[in-house]
């Protein structure tokens, strides 16, 4: 059963996310690096837009880049949030299933112990033992030929 830390690590630091931001030198990115890269791009775009306020055409271009960066960040956050929500739901369902199995196993163990005990009691109650006894000689404290054995 995965812990919360293991789930977080698998979602945020596993190098398996594919998307339009991939580059030939880095075809798979971790969620953590995607968000960081998107944030850095958005920050650069905003800084560029602020520096170009005096030039209207330049400001419009940089503003569009900032909007694109923010939109990419929002898309990445939405996708990652959906993944985390599903992972949390899967974890909860797995924990519930494990609890049901553990309960069933405990019930089965009790049932088996009871059935075995009942079977042993029934076997002992219906079993008979035949014993042939031959006594020779004198048994102290008895009359010869008058030995009584307990049943």
């Amino acid at each position: 059963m995965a812990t919360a830390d293991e789930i977080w690590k698998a979602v945020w630091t596993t190098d398996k996310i594919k998307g339009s931001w991939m580059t030939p030198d880095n075809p798979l990115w971790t969620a953590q690096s995607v968000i960081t890269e998107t944030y850095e791009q958005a920050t650069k775009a905003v800084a560029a837009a602020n520096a170009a306020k005096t030039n209207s055409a330049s400001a419009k271009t940089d503003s569009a880049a900032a909007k694109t960066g923010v939109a990419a960040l929002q898309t990445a956050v939405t996708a990652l949030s959906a993944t985390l929500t599903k992972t949390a739901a899967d974890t909860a369902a797995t924990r519930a299933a494990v609890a049901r199995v553990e309960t069933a196993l405990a019930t089965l163990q009790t049932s088996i112990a009871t059935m075995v005990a009942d079977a042993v009691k029934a076997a002992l109650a219906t079993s008979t033992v035949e014993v042939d006894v031959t006594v020779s000689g004198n048994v102290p404290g008895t009359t010869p030929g008058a030995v009584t054995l307990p049943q």
Side-chain angles (χ1 to χ4, degrees):
M1 175 76 91
T3 67
D5 287 342
E6 291 169 336
I7 292 169
W8 180 86
K9 184 177 179 183
V11 171
W12 287 97
T13 62
T14 300
D15 194 27
K16 292 187 178 178
I17 294 179
K18 296 180 180 181
S20 60
W21 57 83
M22 297 182 309
T23 60
D25 61 313
N26 192 0
L28 298 171
W29 292 19
T30 65
Q32 197 169 356
S33 68
V34 170
I35 289 176
T36 301
E37 180 71 20
T38 305
Y39 176 77
E40 288 172 0
Q41 288 175 359
T43 302
K44 287 177 184 177
V46 169
N50 288 335
K53 282 183 181 180
T54 55
N55 183 339
S56 178
S58 178
K60 286 180 183 180
T61 301
D62 291 343
S63 177
K67 287 180 182 178
T68 301
V70 169
L73 179 60
Q74 288 172 334
T75 300
V77 168
T78 300
L80 292 171
S81 293
T83 300
L84 288 174
T85 300
K86 176 147 178 31
T87 301
D90 289 348
T91 299
T94 301
R95 286 186 178 142
V98 167
R100 288 191 303 272
V101 168
E102 287 173 344
T103 300
L105 287 174
T107 302
L108 182 60
Q109 184 179 14
T110 301
S111 176
I112 289 171
T114 301
M115 288 187 319
V116 168
D118 290 347
V120 168
K121 285 179 188 176
L124 288 174
T126 60
S127 69
T128 57
V129 177
E130 292 184 21
V131 178
D132 288 329
V133 177
T134 302
V135 178
S136 63
N138 291 328
V139 176
T142 64
T143 307
V147 175
T148 304
L149 297 175
Q151 294 186 0

